[in-house]
Amino acid sequence: MPALAENNKIQVFTSMEEAPKNVSTKKVVYDTKDLNLWYGDDHALKNINLSIYENEVTAIIGPSGCGKSTYIKTLNRMVELIPVVRISGEILYRERNILERTYKVEDLRTKVGMVFQKPNPFPKSIYENVAYGPKIHGIRDKKTLDEIVEKSLKGAAIWDEVKDRLNENAYGLSGGQQQRLCIARALAIEPDVILMDEPTSALDPISTLKVEELVQELKKDFSIIIVTHNMQQAARISDKTAFFLSGEVVEFAQTDKIFSNPSDKRTEDYITGRFG
Amino acid sequence: MKYIDNNLVQKKMGSRLLRNKLAKLFFLLATLFGLFVLVILIYRVIRDGAAWIDFDFINNKLSTDPERAGIMGAILGTLWLMLVVAPVTMILGIGTAIYLEEYAKKGKLQALIQTNISNLAGVPSVVFGLLGLTVFVRGMDLGNIVLAGGLTMALLVLPVVVVAAQEAIRAVPGFLREASYGMGATKWQTIKNVVLPASLPGILTGTILALSRAIGETAPLVVIGIPALLIPLPDGVFDKFTILPVQIYYWTLDSALVAEYTNLAAATIVILLVVLFLMNSVAIFIRNKFQQRF
Ligand SMILES: Nc1ncnc2c1ncn2[C@@H]1O[C@H](COP(=O)(O)OP(=O)(O)OP(=O)(O)O)[C@@H](O)[C@H]1O
Ligand SMILES: [Mg+2]
């Protein structure tokens, strides 16, 4: 009885007095169970239990070095690029444990797109940047690629700015445009989830606003997990918020609740700027 | 109380400024010295050789008569040699660099291979000549043909190409690899589509510079026994051959017998320098033209 099981989980993890009405209808995308991660001897993630829901924006906040990046890089197994990493526990993505040896990372990363802190387009044309993912996955037909590129650039709200210069090098774009190009590039693989690691920390306020609006738009089609240092940003754009501290999840709840009535003293101290 | 005494600063000012000027003078002289020697060298070879360079000198075969002697054989020999050296070093060198940078686990074995490669780059070229003589000329019984010489030269410059390619590959920023892996690309797709295009200018520059070193090397080929005799023009990698620097070497040796050989050697040096200059220009051109911004 999966439906019932899901309901139970929600109760356990969010432990809210006033459960939101729509919760029971939303599906779980990612279910993290007792996740522990070490960099050598450094215990970076401790007993993480978190559920990420479909078509929601989940914000991850916490002071520098608390393990936010490590956590979202575990969700697409990018942490494995670092040789000293050891992991225990389970991460169920759509009910399959991605930490199993037999799970192909290439397959996982096709469904889970990532946008990094610093815009990192390839030193290729704007078109080639967006077409990169589809090409990797075997799409060769020019017309199909054209359509994907246009759709993705429109999806990332940058089409109008670049439609006349698709063949120019991506590094000719401004930082904010580059970041939206990277979002378009992630959209082009038609993912299910988008991971964003401080996507606006290198951007000016106007570009930041554009990316935030974009996130609101994108959550209709995708599930989004966003790491941010900006408390207002988390409050503005997310549905749920997880507060990390020294590798642990201190509190995970509806964003409204975290910011208006946190149950943990440490959460309150952090969001009111008393430490971190 | 203040730590910096203004009077003392004033007093020392003069000697500080003087030492500043002396430092500049020393570095300028160091540069000028090298430049001066180079200018003399070029002046002398051009003075001795320029008058001897004409179409016949380039087009003629070797001859004992200085008036009729030409370097066509050495030019063709050099070309054929490069036709062996270039592909062999590029395939082996870039392959090794990719393996070491992208695949090999960073551990003892990798460190050992790395140290060996760096040390090989410093082994005198005569030693490579002996290696070529033992393995290719005698061991595989190839004789002193282009193929044997080319393989010897390829081994000689291989460490340089490996190190240059490794540096170029290492200079590709990690965030580009992450972007590629993040979209589900395999390691090979990432190497092929991101790492190699971004590092190719550096790899090519390194390779061309290594090849121009091979073109100027004499010792290994003398060791494997390039003939000083008159031989037919080579027209394949299985022919006997000679190359420009070896030609220069023998003419200089024999200049005690025939005085004009000095001029022939000088003329050949001019040609060799022009070839090297062109190759280095191509390397610089490639670096500037294909350099990617990121
Ligand atoms: N490659 C690595 N090797 C070893 N330790 C690492 C590595 N990356 C991160 N760590 C350690 O893991 C802990 C969590 O780092 P992480 O990057 O996840 O923090 P973060 O919450 O994203 O911080 P920030 O807000 O500054 O980005 C830190 O103590 C850090 O020192
Ligand atoms: Mg981080």
Side-chain angles (χ1 to χ4, degrees):
Chain A
M1 278 178 288
L4 197 66
E6 256 165 37
N7 265 333
N8 281 339
K9 253 171 239 149
I10 290 157
Q11 305 258 295
V12 173
F13 292 128
T14 56
S15 65
M16 288 171 293
E17 292 94 84
E18 357 112 67
K21 289 136 258 153
N22 59 351
V23 142
S24 55
T25 59
K26 289 222 161 128
K27 276 202 191 147
V28 175
V29 179
Y30 265 116
D31 207 351
T32 308
K33 296 179 179 174
D34 297 323
L35 178 71
N36 281 282
L37 185 144
W38 293 263
Y39 289 106
D41 295 329
D42 184 5
H43 199 174
L45 295 178
K46 299 166 191 156
N47 289 316
I48 307 284
N49 286 287
L50 268 187
S51 301
I52 310 285
Y53 294 87
E54 204 170 49
N55 300 104
E56 282 194 351
V57 177
T58 306
I60 298 179
I61 60 170
S64 190
C66 68
K68 307 180 295 292
S69 298
T70 304
Y71 178 64
I72 76 163
K73 280 196 288 181
T74 314
L75 295 178
N76 67 351
R77 287 181 51 184
M78 288 288 273
V79 271
E80 286 173 17
L81 293 180
I82 302 160
V84 293
V85 164
R86 281 181 303 128
I87 309 178
S88 78
E90 275 186 5
I91 300 178
L92 301 181
Y93 165 68
R94 299 283 181 192
E95 286 156 18
R96 266 191 70 198
N97 185 5
I98 61 165
L99 297 180
E100 254 161 36
R101 267 176 193 283
T102 50
Y103 206 113
K104 291 195 181 59
V105 279
E106 288 82 7
D107 192 23
L108 175 68
R109 292 173 191 158
T110 311
K111 295 175 190 133
V112 181
M114 181 150 193
V115 177
F116 298 81
Q117 174 165 5
K118 206 175 137 242
N120 59 350
F122 299 118
K124 300 173 189 283
S125 71
I126 294 170
Y127 183 97
E128 285 301 326
N129 262 281
V130 184
Y132 186 86
K135 278 188 177 173
I136 287 292
H137 297 105
I139 293 174
R140 288 275 166 272
D141 180 52
K142 179 86 173 85
K143 207 166 144 279
T144 315
L145 285 173
D146 286 350
E147 280 167 23
I148 295 176
V149 169
E150 179 170 347
K151 182 168 167 239
S152 309
L153 288 168
K154 279 181 174 157
I158 189 180
W159 172 251
D160 289 331
E161 288 154 76
V162 300
K163 63 172 186 279
D164 301 321
R165 48 195 283 209
L166 292 178
N167 291 319
E168 283 173 32
N169 193 302
Y171 280 82
L173 297 172
S174 74
Q177 288 172 326
Q178 286 181 21
Q179 192 62 306
R180 276 178 290 143
L181 176 67
C182 291
I183 295 176
R185 186 175 64 180
L187 297 182
I189 57 171
E190 302 185 332
D192 175 31
V193 182
I194 303 175
L195 309 173
M196 297 181 160
D197 192 353
E198 300 185 45
T200 60
S201 67
L203 305 186
D204 65 283
I206 292 177
S207 305
T208 299
L209 195 68
K210 281 195 179 152
V211 172
E212 285 185 10
E213 283 168 3
L214 185 56
V215 168
Q216 290 301 301
E217 199 54 40
L218 292 175
K219 81 171 196 187
K220 291 176 190 150
D221 299 313
F222 308 92
S223 314
I224 295 170
I225 304 166
I226 182 167
V227 171
T228 175
H229 266 142
N230 180 332
M231 232 63 71
Q232 286 85 5
Q233 183 170 68
R236 271 197 301 268
I237 66 175
S238 70
D239 300 292
K240 291 209 173 61
T241 299
F243 171 54
F244 276 56
L245 188 63
S246 341
E248 285 175 275
V249 179
V250 171
E251 194 166 353
F252 176 47
Q254 292 295 117
T255 299
D256 302 345
K257 175 158 185 308
I258 291 263
F259 283 94
S260 59
N261 181 24
S263 24
D264 197 295
K265 179 78 169 58
R266 292 168 293 174
T267 314
E268 189 178 339
D269 287 349
Y270 182 69
I271 58 175
T272 51
R274 241 166 285 166
F275 76 91
Chain B
M1 122 128 209
K2 283 170 84 181
Y3 285 101
I4 296 183
D5 178 355
N6 236 334
N7 285 332
L8 209 65
V9 170
Q10 287 301 328
K11 223 168 69 197
K12 289 204 166 158
M13 189 63 84
S15 87
R16 273 171 58 199
L17 291 179
L18 181 67
R19 269 180 289 167
N20 191 30
K21 283 213 181 74
L22 285 178
K24 181 179 166 187
L25 188 68
F26 172 76
F27 296 128
L28 180 68
L29 285 178
T31 311
L32 285 182
F33 179 76
L35 215 59
F36 180 66
V37 175
L38 192 69
V39 167
I40 290 189
L41 186 90
I42 291 178
Y43 166 73
R44 286 203 43 191
V45 294
I46 289 182
R47 186 196 61 191
D48 292 348
W52 291 73
I53 299 176
D54 55 16
F55 180 74
D56 282 344
F57 177 68
I58 290 174
N59 195 41
N60 281 6
K61 294 210 279 181
L62 199 53
S63 161
T64 44
D65 174 5
E67 293 298 329
R68 286 181 32 219
I71 53 169
M72 197 47 176
I75 290 178
L76 285 178
T78 300
L79 281 180
W80 282 115
L81 190 75
M82 283 305 116
L83 239 60
V84 175
V85 179
V88 173
T89 42
M90 280 183 82
I91 292 168
L92 293 183
I94 299 172
T96 308
I98 290 177
Y99 178 75
L100 288 176
E101 286 303 310
E102 300 285 328
Y103 289 95
K105 289 231 163 58
K106 308 278 172 260
K108 286 227 172 69
L109 182 68
Q110 196 253 2
L112 190 75
I113 297 178
Q114 192 68 61
T115 319
N116 267 312
I117 289 176
S118 310
N119 285 341
L120 275 180
V123 169
S125 54
V126 181
V127 178
F128 280 95
L130 286 173
L131 179 79
L133 183 69
T134 324
V135 177
F136 303 122
V137 178
R138 296 200 184 132
M140 293 166 64
D141 209 15
L142 291 174
N144 46 10
I145 58 171
V146 174
L147 187 61
L151 291 174
T152 308
M153 282 294 196
L155 285 184
L156 171 70
V157 296
L158 193 58
V160 181
V161 175
V162 172
V163 172
Q166 274 187 294
E167 261 154 31
I169 289 172
R170 216 174 298 147
V172 177
F175 61 75
L176 293 182
R177 290 187 183 84
E178 282 185 355
S180 175
Y181 286 131
M183 270 179 293
T186 60
K187 188 160 220 161
W188 170 234
Q189 285 176 318
T190 303
I191 292 173
K192 186 170 54 123
N193 297 315
V194 177
V195 177
L196 281 183
S199 55
L200 208 58
I203 293 178
L204 285 182
T205 312
T207 309
I208 294 175
L209 293 180
L211 289 184
S212 59
R213 170 160 179 225
I215 280 193
E217 274 292 344
T218 324
L221 293 188
V222 171
V223 170
I224 69 169
I226 296 298
L229 306 170
L230 305 180
I231 47 167
L233 297 181
D235 45 31
V237 295
F238 297 105
D239 287 348
K240 290 185 186 292
F241 71 112
T242 188
I243 57 168
L244 291 168
V246 172
Q247 190 67 62
I248 295 167
Y249 174 69
Y250 285 126
W251 266 332
T252 312
L253 275 187
D254 294 345
S255 61
L257 309 174
V258 184
E260 285 90 346
Y261 282 174
T262 314
N263 303 91
L264 291 179
T268 314
I269 291 174
V270 173
I271 302 280
L272 186 59
L273 286 179
V274 169
V275 172
L276 288 176
F277 178 76
L278 287 178
M279 288 181 74
N280 287 349
S281 310
V282 170
I284 292 169
F285 174 77
I286 289 179
R287 188 164 50 209
N288 294 344
K289 171 101 203 235
F290 297 102
Q291 194 75 288
Q292 292 171 316
R293 293 180 299 153
F294 38 70

